[in-house]
Amino acid sequence: AQPVRAQLKNSPIGTFLLAANPSKTDSLETGLILPNSATKTVTVFGENRQVQIENGILVDFFAPLAVHIYKLN
């Protein structure tokens, strides 16, 4: 399986982490490292849910070709 790809983006309304599963067939649960993160939860933009951050790692599930946008601040 290919790893989830992620990129940070800054905008006037906050900092976002964009993450995508490039696989057309594999679902993945993956951990994304957020160094120096004091935040304990992040909002998943457009999905009406939040994800916990534990020890600087955000763990989430990605269906094939899924994209998640996390609002970090």
Side-chain angles (χ1 to χ4, degrees):
Q2 298 179 49
V4 167
R5 295 184 184 158
Q7 185 173 22
L8 280 174
K9 290 288 186 178
N10 291 310
S11 80
I13 61 170
T15 301
F16 295 86
L17 176 65
L18 290 72
N21 178 1
S23 175
K24 293 179 182 179
T25 57
D26 296 323
S27 295
L28 302 170
E29 182 174 64
T30 194
L32 301 167
I33 299 171
L34 301 174
N36 305 320
S37 177
T39 306
K40 297 297 180 195
T41 60
V42 293
T43 299
V44 186
F45 191 78
E47 294 188 35
N48 195 31
R49 67 185 180 99
Q50 293 188 325
V51 177
Q52 297 288 324
I53 298 174
E54 294 186 26
N55 298 317
I57 300 174
L58 180 159
V59 177
D60 205 356
F61 177 80
F62 290 80
L65 300 177
V67 175
H68 299 308
I69 301 170
Y70 306 97
K71 188 171 190 307
L72 301 181
N73 63 13

